[in-house]
Amino acid sequence: RCFIVARLSPASDIIRTIRDPEKPNTLEELEVVTENCVEVQEIGEDEYLVIIRFTPTVPHCSLATLIGLCLRIKLQRCLPFRHKLEIYISEGTHSTEEDINKQINDKERVAAAMENPNLREIVEQCVTEPD
């Protein structure tokens, strides 16, 4: 159990610095992500299920899918252990949460989105650590 709790820290540390696509703030500063939004469960030997629940700033946020994509890309690149990743909008906080949850958890859609040069550039700007 202590081991799993120790693993929580990297995931929340990794996502706290992701910048909002529209604002100069981080997702943590806007309270889109908090330490409480990260859940880690052991699913096998040295393999973990990481569940992130984020809260868009407004119920009709047009960038919620992009924020979910940024969370996924940053965690895939930075988590220091084998993992399965599930990202969801916090229940009841977005008008199209079901559709967005499907999109950001669909490997093919994520791969297709990252092939779009404009989208990839925005994601890179959001997930790159500030100097």
Side-chain angles (χ1 to χ4, degrees):
R1 284 281 162 235
C2 293
F3 183 64
I4 294 172
V5 172
R7 296 284 189 165
L8 273 172
S9 181
S12 55
D13 287 345
I14 289 165
I15 63 175
R16 79 172 17 116
T17 59
I18 296 173
R19 285 188 294 287
D20 184 88
E22 280 185 325
K23 299 179 176 81
N25 308 76
T26 66
L27 297 182
E28 182 182 55
E29 289 167 345
L30 296 169
E31 296 182 1
V32 172
V33 296
T34 64
E35 217 163 299
N36 297 339
C37 79
V38 179
E39 184 184 331
V40 179
Q41 302 168 5
E42 193 167 4
I43 55 174
E45 192 173 325
D46 290 330
E47 188 168 7
Y48 299 85
L49 169 61
V50 178
I51 302 169
I52 307 290
R53 295 184 195 285
F54 71 99
T55 305
T57 52
V58 290
H60 52 275
C61 176
S62 60
L63 297 173
T65 307
L66 181 57
I67 290 168
L69 183 61
C70 290
L71 290 166
R72 176 168 295 284
I73 297 305
K74 181 89 181 231
L75 286 164
Q76 283 176 342
R77 289 180 183 173
C78 299
L79 280 175
F81 49 87
R82 286 187 357 182
H83 61 277
K84 182 176 189 274
L85 196 49
E86 292 180 6
I87 299 174
Y88 303 104
I89 290 184
S90 300
E91 202 171 315
T93 63
H94 197 280
S95 53
T96 61
E97 71 187 64
E98 206 173 291
D99 293 336
I100 293 171
N101 287 342
K102 277 186 197 157
Q103 270 186 291
I104 57 181
N105 288 294
D106 181 317
K107 282 189 176 114
E108 288 174 13
R109 286 185 181 183
V110 168
M114 288 306 287
E115 285 174 13
N116 176 320
N118 297 331
L119 208 48
R120 187 173 56 241
E121 186 180 334
I122 294 168
V123 169
E124 292 300 339
Q125 287 171 1
C126 292
V127 303
T128 303
E129 292 293 322
D131 292 332

